[in-house]
């Protein structure tokens, strides 16, 4: 069993991805979110984000999540960071991955879009995008 290390804010996550050549970022949002909202762009680090859904677009748990981590090339000693919209799904994914022997595992707190503002909109309060970190939309 590996360790769930805890939360990193988006800048700390970027710094770890930049400083550790083995560290990987796994975006656990749905494929619809990747397509319509965008995602972290690690090309400047010579890396790419792995997309492995925690929940399917139909709202069902991804029963093959742990197996898909291994198939994506994540090794048992690989530092792995998990990202979702706001940091909730990714926290559960990081803990599950660590319990399955992956990691050290980290949750990117605040997520890609962050917490909702008083009007209920995301992407204005905190998160990867608000931190000014590289991202792209397809």
């Amino acid at each position: 069993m590996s360790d769930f290390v805890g939360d990193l804010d988006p800048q700390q996550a970027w710094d770890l991805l930049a400083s550790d050549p083995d560290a990987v970022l796994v975006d656990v949002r749905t494929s619809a979110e990747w397509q319509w909202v965008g995602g972290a762009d690690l090309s400047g680090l010579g890396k790419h984000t792995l997309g492995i859904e925690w929940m399917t677009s139909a709202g069902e748990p991804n029963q093959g999540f742990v197996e898909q981590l291994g198939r994506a090339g994540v090794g048992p000693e690989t530092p792995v960071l998990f990202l979702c919209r706001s940091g909730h799904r990714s926290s559960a994914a990081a803990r599950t991955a660590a319990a399955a022997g992956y990691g050290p595992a980290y949750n990117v707190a605040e997520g890609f879009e962050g917490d909702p503002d008083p009007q209920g909109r995301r992407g204005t309060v905190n998160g990867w995008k608000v931190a000014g970190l590289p991202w792209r939309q397809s």
Side-chain angles (χ1 to χ4, degrees):
M1 180 147 119
S2 288
D3 289 329
F4 170 68
V5 179
D7 294 336
L8 298 175
D9 68 34
Q11 185 63 56
Q12 291 170 319
W14 175 266
D15 293 345
L16 178 57
L17 289 161
S19 66
D20 188 332
D22 296 327
V24 298
L25 179 66
V26 177
D27 188 331
V28 302
R29 296 175 301 150
T30 64
S31 59
E33 288 173 292
W34 304 328
Q35 181 178 3
W36 298 106
V37 179
D41 180 5
L42 305 182
S43 61
L45 302 177
K47 297 181 176 191
H48 66 278
T49 303
L50 301 175
I52 304 174
E53 293 178 319
W54 177 248
M55 300 285 287
T56 69
S57 295
E60 299 293 324
N62 177 3
Q63 298 299 329
F65 179 78
V66 171
E67 177 184 298
Q68 290 169 10
L69 279 174
R71 284 199 321 244
V74 177
E77 308 263 326
T78 302
V80 59
L81 294 77
F82 294 89
L83 176 74
C84 70
R85 179 185 65 186
S86 60
H88 298 291
R89 286 174 284 175
S90 53
S91 179
R95 291 171 194 278
T96 297
Y102 290 94
Y106 302 86
N107 176 46
V108 181
E110 302 173 15
F112 183 68
E113 294 182 85
D115 297 319
D117 65 18
Q119 290 75 40
R121 290 183 226 121
R122 294 183 189 274
T124 62
V125 175
N126 56 13
W128 186 276
K129 289 169 62 175
V130 171
L133 297 170
W135 67 281
R136 77 171 91 182
Q137 194 168 20
S138 57

